[in-house]
Amino acid sequence: MSLLKKLKRMAPEPKEAAPQAAAEERPDFEKIGFYPFYLDGVRSQRRRFTTAWSDPELYDRLVNCLNFWQDTVHPVSVPKDASLLFFDTETTGLDSGAGTYIFLLGYGRVSKQGVEITQHFMEGPETEAAFLGGFLDDLGQEEHLVTYNGKAFDWPRVKSRHAFLQRELPRLPETGHVDLLHAARRFWKDTLPSCRLPVIEEKILNKPRTGDTPGSMAPLLYFEYLEKNDPALLEGIVDHHAQDIMSLIELYIVLSEKLLFPEKSAMTVESEASALWWYQLNETERAQEHFRHADKLDGSSSFKRAYYKALIHKKRGDVHQAAAVLENVCSAPLQGPYYVYEELAKLYEHQLKKMEAAQSLLTPLDESRMTDKERTKYRHRLSRVEKKVLQRENE
Amino acid sequence: MFRKRTFQELIDALKNNENISYWHEIAPVAARYAPMPETVPEKLKAALKSRGIDELYTHQAEAFQAVQKKENIVTVTPTASGKTLCYNLPVLSNLAANPNARALYLFPTKALSQDQRSELDELIEAMESEINSFTYDGDTPSSIRQHVRRAGHIVITNPDMLHSAILPHHTKWISLFENLETVVIDELHTYRGVFGSHVANVIRRLKRLCRYYGSDPVFISTSATIANPKELAEQLTGEKASLINTNGAPSGKKHIAFFNPPIVNEELRIRQSPSKAVQQLALSFLKERIQTIVFARSRVRVEVILSRIQAGLENDELRQSVRGYRGGYLPNQRREIERTLRTGETLGVISTNALELGVDIGQLQVCILTGYPGSIASSWQQAGRAGRRQNESLVILAADSSPVDQYVFTNPSYFFESSPETARLNKNNVIILADHIKCAVYELPFAEGEPFDDLTWEDTAGFLEYLSESRVLHERSGKWYWMNDAFPAHNISLRSAAQENVVIIDQSIPAKNRVIGEMDTFSALTLLHDEAIYLHEGIQFQVELLDWDEKKAYVREVSVDYFTDANLAVKLTVLEIDEEKELAGGTFLQYGDVMVSAMATLFKKIKLDTFENVGSGPIHLPEQELHSTAVMLEFSEEAVEALGEEEVEQVLLGLAHVWQHVACVHVMCDKGDLFTVPQVKSAHAELPTIFLYDRYPGGIGLSDKIYKEAENVLEKTRSYLSGCPCDSGCPSCTGMTAAFDGINVKHWAARLLENALYR
């Protein structure tokens, strides 16, 4: 037709299309570990295998963490009877529209024997219902997802694909969800160049990957597979994906331990991250333990930690203790951040009614070490304190 | 002695002005009412009553009844005739009866959607009902987007958002698509040309998704007066539509005056610039504090007229109440001008056709058009800005020396009697269609045999095949799937071929650079080149640097007595000839695909008061390319035997000039939509040839129409040319070539046409 002729003239010539085989038997899939299963007569490919724990202690450590998590409410905790599903997907693109497909979806389940990894592979988009159906069929009642960036990426895509096929699929169950990216950012965003999973693996789990197919190659490899119909092309990405799931398990253990057991933190930033998180959840007892451990790692207190410790004391009504903690750091010759002095000055001014102490705390501060906003607040506070001191003297 | 002159006195004085070549009065029209239909829910009746509406205008009632019968409709009504009720009434009635129903409102711009929403919300509030209406556009905060998707009964958006945010993410909008009962397309007439061709395809995609989710919405379109509202609505929506054009709204008496500025150069038949005339006319009204709108054809003209008018007002407060308005001003600035026009704080506004759309600025008393806007529809649309329901109003059309304007002025009946323009779109433009097929497959896999709205499987199969060969789609067991990691809608802009805008940065105050506006790349070639004088709100800026790679223009405020005007050199290559026919006298006419390369070459500095050329300079910017369709008018060598090469060039230039203008009037498009390029020896046939091409990639069907009606258009061109009172060509017919020594360009141009038509 003439429209097509025009189109071809106005756009560059495409390459030759590849031949397409449609064999029933797929030994090529078996070669990379995938075996067919059927849902309503449509074939989907699945790989399931169990790997023994690389380090037998890992399982015990995980069980120990889970025991402790049972009694606690925390974004990383899971309830008592939940079964963990370490979950990850590979997609054909990064955007969230209706034309982005999930082509590889996998999860790990843990037991004493090891990790059972299940990977579902979408042989072609025409089998998407069987592909997702196979996953939904395998999903139990009390699953609790553990993912890396799954709240913003993987799970919304599962939901979107499910919405698309909802007439052909069972309902998508509600699941609990722990997103470890959020946790990792709290711990390491200032010390690591980025919080991408490969970086975490190398720097935190001490397991750098070698000879790995990077995840960013996934869409292109899948398109190439579709054209050439050769699953061998995907071997690298399938292994990469399984490895991601294994890393999730180990990362979950490491993060849980750092949050639950103060002595597991090897750096003050980690202790402080745990402490702050607990503090924000109003678990002041636990926060204090972590702050104390950070002091131990550092050999001394710090302005920031003293500040939070003081806030905890203040919350409990122990203003003298709060002041003591702050006085301890504020007496140091080197000037710290203004908010610490401000907090102590507030205690003097409002709770302890020690106007002179407030004045002598604030007066020697060096304004050049403050931000513009702090400087304004500082001057305001100082002049008020001075006025009050004068008032008292006149009384 | 300086007593205030009344509006009536000013009108009487104008009637006696010697430059008025024609005066037309439109009698006032009384309102025609129809009773409120029984089926309107009580709540809604009460809400309307509380706003003073007890009965409907006839067209509103008719619209309501047609939609009740599930008919698609298109209403044609002038400005301020209560058109919004034509869709709000059936939609709200529907929602009152069925709280699950959904409606989608499409406005061509974001500004219009903001406007309409406040009006709609007032009505909903008065109904005291649980109907949610939301605008969904780039400004919608992400925190409420989810709520809009799930719970918005009426979603107000624009075609761009529908294209790039709603359709590709339809799985998040399931409740909208499953329950969509009404789609409202406001300002239908704006959906023409490239934009209309894109939007028609967006609607094909919308309908495809509706079918998938099981809904079948009714389409309500509203249009300004054009020749083919029904045809346009049917093309855009792909559905049969009933036309409702029984306007029942009243209107006051309206005067329409044709003002032809005096001839200042008898020999060259050059008239005084209409900008000057308009400036004086506008001043006479503004000084009496009569609210006046002035339309100018280009952004530069707006700024020139604005600065002159401001200079002509002694009173500071008065001066500040006159504003400019055009694309390139930032949105909040425009909103502010619109608001103050409504309240009357702004007394005068100088605008491009940007204010032609239904932006609510209230009704003004005087409207002045600087030059014929290029189409009858546009003229009436702009003229509609003046005129209240009760009072008298005045519209002045001031002509320039161009052939189009003088044609209209010598034939006033053309203006008042001929039917208004036909709005055209070409939704099967291959480039546009291929883009939207990509988006459609992204949204939903395409099955073998599946039609694409009005297109059959035979039409689309080739595209799908082509796209899978290009490895964008992948075919599996008779279905085509999107298999690419890109998001197609992001790379497809509905508005123009040029995707990027140039940002204009004012660096007059060091360390306080600020963005004052933006401009599309094609316009930037000629308006923002280095050293260009760029006018913004009447202030002159000089472009110090145009950073083409970064698409930034750095400007600084200056005060000079000239403006700049750039030349665009156009090169043309014929790619393929699709059709050919022989006219008389060995003249051939061809239609086919061409490639146009445009390059800004040099600019002239033109003095503000005398319009004389006071200097020039080169422009160094990369060439822009465009694939399009063209008509080629090819003369035989014998026809120009008697002329030297340079003389042939002058004749072709003159003929191209007049042909382009008459062709634009004939197909009723903007003057910038069709271009002509003459070639003394064409590259493909080595013959004297004039090319007439569509300014948009892939063409939008204008040159196609010219080809089909070539004899008619050429005859109109010939008769206009010989009817022009000049001797040997003038700016009103052959353009500026009249002064060429030796030959009579006009005579030769007419002779070539006669030869082509009758010998």
Side-chain angles (χ1 to χ4, degrees):
Chain A
M1 69 186 282
S2 85
L3 284 184
L4 182 63
K5 205 175 70 193
K6 274 180 194 240
L7 179 67
K8 285 199 169 170
R9 190 169 54 241
M10 292 182 185
E13 272 303 300
K15 288 168 277 175
E16 279 291 299
Q20 242 195 49
E24 214 23 63
E25 293 287 315
R26 298 301 300 262
D28 46 356
F29 269 106
E30 290 174 21
K31 238 184 208 153
I32 60 165
F34 281 84
Y35 291 86
F37 75 96
Y38 292 83
L39 209 81
D40 295 332
V42 184
R43 183 176 63 198
S44 186
Q45 298 284 354
R46 188 172 64 187
R47 179 194 194 203
R48 180 169 275 172
F49 61 100
T50 304
T51 44
W53 291 101
S54 57
D55 172 359
E57 270 183 30
L58 277 173
Y59 181 69
D60 299 329
R61 284 164 64 193
L62 177 61
V63 171
N64 189 32
C65 289
L66 293 177
N67 282 335
F68 276 92
W69 277 137
Q70 280 182 21
D71 319 315
T72 322
V73 177
H74 187 284
V76 174
S77 74
V78 288
K80 189 156 180 275
D81 295 314
S83 62
L84 289 175
L85 203 68
F86 294 91
F87 181 87
D88 190 31
T89 64
E90 299 293 339
T91 61
T92 61
L94 291 178
D95 70 79
S96 59
T100 303
Y101 295 86
I102 298 171
F103 68 88
L104 186 61
L105 178 157
Y107 39 90
R109 289 188 170 110
V110 289
S111 67
K112 197 163 176 56
Q113 285 71 42
V115 181
E116 181 202 66
I117 300 244
T118 309
Q119 290 169 294
H120 296 264
F121 177 76
M122 186 170 80
E123 217 181 305
E126 76 285 5
T127 64
E128 191 178 17
F131 161 70
L132 285 178
F135 161 59
L136 291 174
D137 259 13
D138 199 26
L139 211 54
Q141 281 306 303
E142 303 290 334
E143 308 276 13
H144 206 96
L145 300 178
V146 181
T147 63
Y148 205 72
N149 197 21
K151 281 195 176 166
F153 189 85
D154 303 80
W155 201 246
R157 275 150 194 76
V158 170
K159 275 192 179 151
S160 167
R161 298 319 303 173
H162 181 270
F164 194 78
L165 295 161
Q166 58 183 345
R167 282 174 267 189
E168 298 166 57
L169 291 174
R171 216 173 52 81
L172 191 63
E174 294 285 327
T175 56
H177 191 155
V178 175
D179 190 336
L180 295 182
L181 173 64
H182 175 68
R185 284 215 178 109
R186 280 181 166 263
F187 274 79
W188 303 301
K189 90 172 180 302
D190 293 331
T191 46
L192 292 183
S194 91
C195 285
R196 287 173 48 245
L197 193 56
V199 178
I200 300 283
E201 287 173 350
E202 188 185 332
K203 306 281 185 191
I204 304 297
L205 306 178
N206 297 316
K207 285 186 176 164
R209 292 212 189 170
T210 47
D212 181 52
T213 307
S216 56
M217 291 282 292
L220 298 179
L221 287 169
Y222 185 66
F223 301 146
E224 201 179 337
Y225 148 80
L226 282 179
E227 267 152 35
K228 302 200 170 129
N229 198 21
D230 178 8
L233 289 163
L234 296 162
E235 195 170 2
I237 215 70
V238 167
D239 287 341
H240 165 92
H241 180 243
Q243 189 53 53
D244 278 354
I245 294 168
M246 295 302 289
S247 296
L248 270 183
I249 300 171
E250 215 174 313
L251 181 59
Y252 182 73
I253 297 169
V254 168
L255 279 167
S256 294
E257 286 179 341
K258 287 188 195 295
L259 282 162
L260 287 166
F261 317 117
E263 70 282 3
K264 288 283 185 179
S265 287
M267 301 183 283
T268 47
V269 284
E270 294 177 350
S271 283
E272 281 182 2
S274 300
L276 267 178
W277 206 346
W278 286 118
Y279 174 80
Q280 282 157 6
L281 294 165
N282 223 352
E283 293 271 359
T284 51
E285 201 83 40
R286 282 180 183 268
Q288 259 179 328
E289 286 173 30
H290 286 276
F291 278 130
R292 254 183 250 130
H293 183 67
D295 286 348
K296 211 156 87 190
L297 286 174
D298 244 5
S300 70
S301 185
S302 79
F303 281 100
K304 183 178 173 186
R305 292 195 293 272
Y307 172 74
Y308 281 103
K309 280 190 277 186
L311 289 187
I312 292 169
H313 288 304
K314 199 169 133 187
K315 253 186 196 173
R316 295 178 182 159
D318 193 347
V319 284
H320 292 282
Q321 190 62 36
V325 170
L326 290 171
E327 280 161 356
N328 183 30
V329 289
C330 289
S331 62
L334 214 62
Q335 185 175 321
Y338 174 66
Y339 66 84
V340 182
Y341 300 91
E342 185 186 40
E343 188 55 39
L344 182 54
K346 274 197 226 166
L347 284 171
Y348 284 149
E349 211 185 319
H350 306 301
Q351 265 85 23
L352 302 170
K353 310 288 175 201
K354 288 176 162 174
M355 292 305 153
E356 289 78 5
Q359 188 179 20
S360 55
L361 171 73
L362 293 174
T363 311
L365 292 184
D366 177 1
E367 285 193 0
S368 68
R369 304 181 72 94
M370 301 174 193
T371 64
D372 290 350
K373 224 171 155 182
E374 287 175 340
R375 198 173 304 122
T376 320
K377 278 161 69 183
Y378 165 69
R379 288 183 184 166
H380 192 73
R381 182 169 295 278
L382 181 58
S383 76
R384 197 178 54 219
V385 166
E386 282 170 347
K387 244 186 249 160
K388 283 190 183 170
V389 171
L390 270 179
Q391 249 173 31
R392 276 208 195 174
E393 282 168 5
N394 292 339
E395 274 164 15
Chain B
M1 134 181 162
F2 288 119
R3 109 186 145 78
K4 251 173 109 63
R5 299 207 291 170
T6 64
F7 188 42
Q8 196 54 54
E9 284 170 344
L10 287 167
I11 288 181
D12 291 341
L14 188 63
K15 268 187 191 163
N16 295 323
N17 187 312
E18 57 179 359
N19 294 311
I20 293 293
S21 68
Y22 190 76
W23 192 280
H24 185 88
E25 279 177 19
I26 297 174
V29 178
R32 283 183 297 142
Y33 295 104
M36 185 69 69
E38 284 301 312
T39 44
V40 173
E42 287 308 321
K43 258 199 230 169
L44 184 51
K45 272 187 199 159
L48 288 168
K49 200 166 190 141
S50 75
R51 299 171 59 78
I53 301 171
D54 293 315
E55 47 189 353
L56 299 176
Y57 292 134
T58 43
H59 60 288
Q60 293 167 337
E62 215 177 300
F64 179 79
Q65 266 133 12
V67 177
Q68 292 275 297
K69 285 186 276 175
K70 296 272 169 216
E71 281 175 38
N72 305 295
I73 59 164
V74 51
T75 67
V76 179
T77 49
T79 331
S81 57
K83 72 166 174 188
T84 51
L85 217 48
C86 292
Y87 50 79
N88 282 337
L89 196 62
V91 167
L92 292 175
S93 293
N94 199 359
L95 282 171
N98 174 11
N100 280 330
R102 295 285 185 274
L104 186 68
Y105 283 23
L106 289 178
F107 293 94
T109 66
K110 217 156 70 175
L112 285 172
S113 49
Q114 304 280 0
D115 230 41
Q116 295 297 327
R117 193 190 150 199
S118 47
E119 193 181 325
L120 178 63
D121 278 351
E122 281 169 31
L123 198 56
I124 291 174
E125 206 167 297
M127 277 174 79
E128 293 176 10
S129 91
E130 302 278 302
I131 296 171
N132 301 318
S133 84
F134 293 106
T135 43
Y136 193 82
D137 58 30
D139 298 339
T140 308
S142 50
S143 53
I144 69 157
R145 289 190 171 205
Q146 211 183 346
H147 184 63
V148 179
R149 291 181 198 130
R150 245 197 352 260
H153 290 106
I154 301 177
V155 176
I156 301 171
T157 187
N158 52 60
D160 312 75
M161 268 319 259
L162 183 61
H163 157 68
S164 67
I166 298 178
L167 298 178
H169 294 105
H170 60 89
T171 52
K172 297 182 184 127
W173 290 88
I174 292 180
S175 61
L176 175 80
F177 287 108
E178 282 182 343
N179 302 296
L180 190 59
E181 299 208 343
T182 324
V183 177
V184 171
I185 302 174
D186 198 19
E187 308 276 347
L188 174 79
H189 57 278
T190 60
Y191 298 109
R192 57 196 158 91
V194 174
F195 183 46
S197 309
H198 271 296
V199 175
N201 278 290
V202 172
I203 290 181
R204 278 173 168 163
R205 285 159 51 200
L206 169 69
K207 286 168 69 185
R208 184 165 173 256
L209 287 176
C210 285
R211 199 161 308 131
Y212 177 76
Y213 286 106
S215 61
D216 182 17
V218 168
F219 287 85
I220 304 179
S221 314
T222 70
S223 171
T225 310
I226 49 173
N228 60 337
K230 183 171 146 74
E231 183 193 34
L232 183 64
E234 291 181 347
Q235 278 181 353
L236 194 77
T237 63
E239 300 281 333
K240 285 260 156 269
S242 318
L243 177 66
I244 291 172
N245 58 359
T246 50
N247 177 27
S251 60
K253 184 175 180 180
K254 193 173 236 174
H255 302 270
I256 296 176
F258 279 27
F259 186 97
N260 211 353
I263 292 176
V264 289
N265 182 328
E266 192 57 50
E267 214 160 290
L268 298 178
R269 291 194 63 81
I270 295 177
R271 291 178 182 275
Q272 185 198 36
S273 133
S275 312
K276 233 178 193 170
V278 160
Q279 159 212 339
Q280 285 155 6
L281 289 165
L283 274 173
S284 68
F285 295 106
L286 289 170
K287 280 180 178 162
E288 307 303 334
R289 297 189 176 267
I290 293 170
Q291 227 185 357
T292 302
I293 182 167
V294 175
F295 283 103
R297 276 198 295 225
S298 71
R299 296 169 174 199
V300 175
R301 290 268 174 241
V302 164
E303 297 294 348
V304 170
I305 295 170
L306 175 64
S307 63
R308 295 252 198 82
I309 288 181
Q310 284 178 334
L313 292 166
E314 297 104 38
N315 181 334
D316 252 359
E317 174 241 321
L318 209 53
R319 201 175 302 140
Q320 276 158 18
S321 69
V322 180
R323 312 286 298 268
Y325 187 105
R326 59 174 172 83
Y329 284 12
L330 295 173
N332 48 4
Q333 197 178 353
R334 291 210 246 173
R335 292 304 85 73
E336 194 243 340
I337 298 171
E338 290 157 18
R339 188 184 54 76
T340 51
L341 272 168
R342 284 193 296 266
T343 60
E345 280 165 77
T346 293
L347 204 57
V349 65
I350 324 300
S351 172
T352 57
N353 57 2
L355 268 183
E356 189 180 306
L357 290 181
V359 177
D360 180 14
I361 56 167
Q363 292 300 108
L364 312 182
Q365 230 166 332
V366 179
C367 172
I368 306 175
L369 280 58
T370 317
Y372 173 64
S375 80
I376 301 235
S378 253
S379 307
W380 286 112
Q381 186 89 341
Q382 293 181 1
R385 283 309 187 181
R388 308 178 178 197
R389 287 187 188 165
Q390 272 79 37
N391 300 334
E392 270 183 63
S393 64
L394 170 66
V395 177
I396 304 172
L397 176 58
D400 65 21
S401 309
S402 79
V404 172
D405 283 41
Q406 293 305 316
Y407 180 83
V408 171
F409 268 54
T410 42
N411 305 291
S413 59
Y414 170 83
F415 190 85
F416 292 102
E417 285 155 35
S418 77
S419 69
E421 286 68 21
T422 310
R424 320 208 147 265
L425 55 82
N426 174 13
K427 54 182 173 179
N428 295 334
N429 170 304
V430 279
I431 294 174
I432 294 175
L433 178 57
D435 275 348
H436 289 278
I437 286 181
K438 279 193 210 169
C439 294
V441 180
Y442 180 92
E443 284 147 16
L444 208 59
F446 228 98
E448 190 166 345
E450 182 186 334
F452 186 34
D453 201 30
D454 54 319
L455 290 179
T456 64
W457 168 244
E458 283 66 38
D459 295 328
T460 47
F463 283 86
L464 295 172
E465 204 169 296
Y466 170 79
L467 291 169
S468 17
E469 282 171 20
S470 333
R471 313 229 168 145
V472 177
L473 308 187
H474 188 78
E475 195 248 310
R476 304 274 296 190
S477 30
K479 255 190 178 179
W480 276 260
Y481 296 87
W482 179 257
M483 276 301 152
N484 195 284
D485 56 352
F487 182 69
H490 274 176
N491 305 320
I492 300 162
S493 157
L494 306 185
R495 302 280 172 171
S496 93
Q499 308 272 323
E500 275 177 300
N501 276 352
V502 176
V503 175
I504 304 159
I505 299 161
D506 174 17
Q507 47 183 10
S508 303
I509 307 165
K512 277 215 170 151
N513 291 3
R514 62 192 180 108
V515 173
I516 54 172
E518 55 184 340
M519 192 182 289
D520 66 281
T521 46
F522 215 90
S523 310
L525 279 182
T526 53
L527 291 176
L528 286 175
H529 54 81
D530 291 357
E531 288 186 68
I533 298 297
Y534 168 73
L535 290 140
H536 190 89
E537 276 241 66
I539 298 166
Q540 293 177 316
F541 293 90
Q542 183 165 42
V543 179
E544 301 202 315
L545 174 73
L546 173 59
D547 185 340
W548 192 255
D549 297 330
E550 291 293 317
K551 299 281 179 288
K552 284 177 181 159
Y554 296 95
V555 303
R556 186 183 299 276
E557 204 177 317
V558 290
S559 173
V560 292
D561 63 348
Y562 65 90
F563 65 93
T564 51
D565 185 22
N567 277 4
L568 202 62
V570 178
K571 209 169 71 198
L572 228 137
T573 321
V574 176
L575 299 175
E576 181 169 328
I577 291 176
D578 290 346
E579 286 174 68
E580 185 176 36
K581 60 184 168 191
E582 188 173 0
L583 304 174
T587 313
F588 282 86
L589 198 71
Q590 293 156 334
Y591 171 74
D593 292 346
V594 293
M595 157 119 105
V596 185
S597 332
M599 193 154 113
T601 51
L602 57 89
F603 68 95
K604 288 176 284 188
K605 297 176 178 174
I606 295 166
K607 219 160 173 231
L608 275 171
D609 44 5
T610 59
F611 287 90
E612 65 186 307
N613 191 340
V614 292
S616 63
I619 302 174
H620 303 286
L621 287 174
E623 193 172 62
Q624 304 288 304
E625 283 188 353
L626 167 79
H627 264 106
S628 188
T629 55
V631 182
M632 293 145 252
L633 180 61
E634 195 175 275
F635 300 100
S636 67
E637 271 179 61
E638 294 80 62
V640 293
E641 241 171 358
L643 299 173
E645 195 161 306
E646 249 179 275
E647 289 166 336
V648 175
E649 189 176 358
Q650 292 306 317
V651 172
L652 291 183
L653 265 173
L655 179 52
H657 188 256
V658 64
W659 189 31
Q660 177 193 357
H661 284 79
V662 175
C664 284
V665 176
H666 184 78
V667 294
M668 294 148 177
C669 61
D670 290 340
K671 229 163 63 185
D673 290 349
L674 271 178
F675 266 39
T676 46
V677 176
Q679 285 181 355
V680 177
K681 254 187 190 341
S682 65
H684 72 295
E686 303 211 327
L687 289 171
T689 307
I690 300 173
F691 297 82
L692 184 92
Y693 67 91
D694 282 33
R695 246 281 314 265
Y696 296 102
I700 46 165
L702 299 173
S703 48
D704 181 31
K705 187 169 186 212
I706 298 286
Y707 178 80
K708 285 184 181 131
E709 296 169 19
E711 288 87 346
N712 186 0
V713 177
L714 290 173
E715 166 51 30
K716 272 192 178 171
T717 310
R718 191 203 61 78
S719 79
Y720 174 71
L721 199 54
S722 47
C724 183
C726 69
D727 287 331
S728 57
C730 71
S732 300
C733 58
T734 55
M736 296 304 274
T737 62
F740 190 75
D741 290 336
I743 57 155
N744 185 325
V745 170
K746 178 181 161 186
H747 167 76
W748 269 97
R751 209 170 121 180
L752 280 183
L753 287 175
E754 274 156 31
N755 187 46
L757 287 165
Y758 307 111
R759 223 181 58 193

